[in-house]
Amino acid sequence: MKRRERTPAKPAGGRRHGTGPSARRRMPLVVGLLVLASTGLVARAFDLQVVQKQFYQNQADARFLREVKIPVSRGTIFDRNGEPLAVSTPMVSITAVPGEVLDNADRIPALAQTLGIDPDQLKQYLERRSTREFAYLRRQMSPEAAKAVLALDIPGINGQREYKRYYPSGDVTAHVLGFTNIDDHGQEGLELAFDGWLAGKPGAKRVIRDRMGHTVEDVEQVRAPQPGKSLTLSIDRRIQFLAYSELKSQIEKSQADSGSMVILDVATGEILAMVSLPTFNPNAVNDSTPAERRNRAVTDVVEPGSTMKPFTMAAGLSSGKYTPTTPLIDTGKGVWYFQGHKIRDDTANGMLTPTGVLTKSSNIGAAKISLSLDTKFVYETYRAFGFGNSTESGFPGESSGYLKIGRDWRPFEQATMAFGYGLNLTPLQLANGYATLADHGVMHSPTFIKGDDNPARQIVAPQVADEIVKMLETVTEPGGTATRAQIANYSVAGKTGTAHQATAGGYAKNAYNALFAGIVPATHPRLVGVVVIKNPRVGGYFGGLVSAPVFQKVMSGALRLLDVPPDNIGRWYVGGPKMSNGSLVGNAPPRDPAGDAAAMREGVAL
């Protein structure tokens, strides 16, 4: 009988030996994986929350935390009496996050209608800037108009507070004040010259904005705002308006190309009025041209013509060779040939005293006086009055004029400069020269700031300056060339000027500059005024006919406004102004042979 073999029993659960680790052996593996994963998560959390916290905070802040500017108001500009000439008014600019607005494209037509622009143009504008986070839609809207836009509550549309400059006097003070750009920075005039003083410094703050761009919380102030400082000018708005009105009227009446007027306070050098025409409206700068925005009183130069003669006379009197009444100067029949050139007077004046040279405005007399003096001395006298140099008024773009170096003068140039040809001055330079004569030979730098610290310097001897002012009185009295500059109850000293306009290669035959420079009251000078009118075409072109009446009308009003007491009540001249010896100006006093001989020895042409 065979023995039955035993079949081994199957393992429990049907697991076969050698097919994998047991549960006990797998457990550490699983636990290890879990621990490793947890460690990785903890490490990553530590990295995000500790190591790279600032990076992700910055990323979040970049999306929701913004640093925005705190706008400040520009300082107000006042006239000397406290009247506002330039003020800043609060406005609102509409801004957009282009991408968010485009995500709500169905709202664009309503937005465009409120802004007053074409919907298609607005959409194209936003599409071109879709990658940006900021774009202006409309700058400087009135708060009421901006409120209507913001009331639409369109995602991505916000308002930003700004300030806009407003000029109450408009074109009357345009050239003096200048204007600002849309960002409220000075561009021309005193707005530019004092931009740092007026502008102030904007502040800054951090804010949190929601996804629609709306500010939901102010976080902190980064920088405190510093509002602009106010500025008080020397300009008197009332006198400025008078000058503007009368100059404009005369330019229109004479059909002139342009004109300017400057009025100075003699004792301080303060500019009380400065007008240039044509002008522009600083509240609508884009409607003007560069020519209209040019302040001709400080940027344009003219040959001063006969208004230069008092400075030639200052050299003559300072030299000791001349007094107001001696020696006599022979101006002949009104024509004098010098080195092949013809120098003319408008009339035949014959023998003239130095005072008569000014009264009758004799070119021949002025030329002979200048030629009798040392060239260097004449040049230095002109330079002392500031010709060829800036007045240092501080006005942007001020011209220094032109005065040729004295050592290069030819005799004929010295002769013609004596009566205002061959050199260039601005109206402000000319006014400052006359103010120096009026203030006993003391020069102040012209200033636009009331009460400015303005040191003075003596240019010519007080006696010389005072004598010239007295000599200039005869110009406005009967027999002079500027009787239309007379002001009732006030004595007026002044000088007319009429100069051919310079052109390429010479002078225009029928185009002139008409000038008048005057001092009032002559006995106690308070104001100096200069009027320049370019190319008058109707009613004459002489300074005494065109510019002197403007001076008379403006100064009459200015004297009343400033309560300047009259100095000439009841003083009227009969038969013409008198010289110190009692004879009429322009006529020869009794001849002194000894004096004539002395003059001849000094080379004076009689």
Side-chain angles (χ1 to χ4, degrees), residues 198-265:
L198 293 165
K201 294 182 180 179
K205 64 180 179 179
R206 288 193 179 93
V207 300
I208 294 177
R209 286 180 172 172
D210 61 19
R211 66 180 184 83
M212 297 177 65
H214 299 148
T215 299
V216 296
E217 181 182 351
D218 288 347
V219 178
E220 62 178 337
Q221 185 179 87
V222 178
R223 184 174 61 253
Q226 299 178 23
K229 304 180 185 69
S230 295
L231 188 66
T232 300
L233 302 184
S234 59
I235 297 293
D236 189 312
R237 186 177 61 88
R238 304 165 301 172
I239 300 175
Q240 179 81 9
F241 182 77
L242 271 175
Y244 171 83
S245 300
E246 295 300 337
L247 184 64
K248 182 179 180 181
S249 175
Q250 184 66 302
I251 287 176
E252 291 174 350
K253 180 181 177 181
S254 62
Q255 297 181 18
D257 291 340
S258 61
S260 55
M261 184 172 189
V262 177
I263 301 176
L264 296 180
D265 185 298

Side-chain angles (χ1 to χ4, degrees), residues 324-378:
T325 57
T326 60
L328 293 177
I329 301 163
D330 187 3
T331 64
K333 295 182 179 180
V335 178
W336 181 47
Y337 289 91
F338 177 71
Q339 293 189 341
H341 300 278
K342 183 167 64 175
I343 297 177
R344 296 180 62 257
D345 286 344
D346 291 318
T347 59
N349 294 310
M351 303 298 292
L352 291 176
T353 64
T355 298
V357 170
L358 294 182
T359 309
K360 300 298 184 181
S361 196
S362 171
N363 295 337
I364 297 172
K368 288 187 173 183
I369 289 173
S370 181
L371 289 169
S372 72
L373 304 174
D374 178 68
T375 299
K376 182 181 179 182
F377 182 74
V378 177

Side-chain angles (χ1 to χ4, degrees), residues 59-112:
Q59 291 296 307
D61 290 347
R63 289 163 173 78
F64 298 101
L65 187 64
R66 293 285 189 274
E67 183 174 300
V68 298
K69 183 173 69 173
I70 304 175
V72 295
S73 175
R74 193 173 176 86
T76 302
I77 299 178
F78 298 98
D79 87 332
R80 67 184 303 107
N81 300 311
E83 295 290 336
L85 300 178
V87 296
S88 289
T89 57
M91 307 293 281
V92 177
S93 289
I94 301 300
T95 67
V97 181
E100 294 188 14
V101 179
L102 290 170
D103 289 341
N104 298 270
D106 58 314
R107 308 289 302 277
I108 290 179
L111 175 62

Side-chain angles (χ1 to χ4, degrees), residues 179-466:
F179 55 90
T180 61
N181 62 12
I182 198 166
D183 293 316
D184 220 18
H185 296 305
Q187 298 299 292
E188 290 188 17
L190 298 183
E191 290 278 29
L192 173 59
F194 293 93
D195 189 57
W197 178 269
L198 293 165
K201 294 182 180 179
K205 64 180 179 179
R206 288 193 179 93
V207 300
I208 294 177
R209 286 180 172 172
D210 61 19
R211 66 180 184 83
M212 297 177 65
H214 299 148
T215 299
V216 296
E217 181 182 351
D218 288 347
V219 178
E220 62 178 337
Q221 185 179 87
V222 178
R223 184 174 61 253
Q226 299 178 23
K229 304 180 185 69
S230 295
L231 188 66
T232 300
L233 302 184
S234 59
I235 297 293
D236 189 312
R237 186 177 61 88
R238 304 165 301 172
I239 300 175
Q240 179 81 9
F241 182 77
L242 271 175
Y244 171 83
S245 300
E246 295 300 337
L247 184 64
K248 182 179 180 181
S249 175
Q250 184 66 302
I251 287 176
E252 291 174 350
K253 180 181 177 181
S254 62
Q255 297 181 18
D257 291 340
S258 61
S260 55
M261 184 172 189
V262 177
I263 301 176
L264 296 180
D265 185 298
V266 168
T268 64
E270 293 180 356
I271 300 169
L272 300 181
M274 178 180 284
V275 176
S276 293
L277 292 169
T279 186
F280 68 102
N281 183 358
N283 298 306
V285 176
N286 292 335
D287 296 335
S288 62
T289 65
E292 291 171 336
R293 297 194 294 269
R294 192 169 71 243
N295 187 352
R296 300 170 190 272
V298 294
T299 64
D300 285 16
V301 295
V302 296
E303 289 184 307
S306 293
T307 58
M308 187 68 187
K309 290 172 183 172
F311 307 108
T312 301
M313 196 64 67
L317 268 58
S318 297
S319 72
K321 291 184 177 183
Y322 295 88
T323 71
T325 57
T326 60
L328 293 177
I329 301 163
D330 187 3
T331 64
K333 295 182 179 180
V335 178
W336 181 47
Y337 289 91
F338 177 71
Q339 293 189 341
H341 300 278
K342 183 167 64 175
I343 297 177
R344 296 180 62 257
D345 286 344
D346 291 318
T347 59
N349 294 310
M351 303 298 292
L352 291 176
T353 64
T355 298
V357 170
L358 294 182
T359 309
K360 300 298 184 181
S361 196
S362 171
N363 295 337
I364 297 172
K368 288 187 173 183
I369 289 173
S370 181
L371 289 169
S372 72
L373 304 174
D374 178 68
T375 299
K376 182 181 179 182
F377 182 74
V378 177
Y379 169 74
E380 290 178 346
T381 300
Y382 292 168
R383 292 287 290 188
F385 279 99
F387 305 146
N389 290 323
S390 167
T391 66
E392 300 180 356
S393 70
F395 196 90
E398 179 181 358
S399 173
S400 60
Y402 172 74
L403 177 65
K404 190 176 181 179
I405 300 297
R407 64 174 176 269
D408 297 330
W409 288 4
R410 299 191 305 272
F412 182 68
E413 289 177 316
Q414 183 169 342
T416 57
M417 275 190 248
F419 52 89
Y421 283 92
L423 74 164
N424 292 313
L425 309 177
T426 65
L428 180 59
Q429 284 178 312
L430 187 60
N432 198 41
Y434 274 78
T436 300
L437 293 173
D439 197 21
H440 314 292
V442 174
M443 176 177 283
H444 304 267
S445 293
T447 178
F448 290 92
I449 305 303
K450 181 182 179 181
D452 193 15
D453 183 15
N454 196 358
R457 57 190 185 278
Q458 193 78 41
I459 299 302
V460 294
Q463 180 183 355
V464 169
D466 295 346

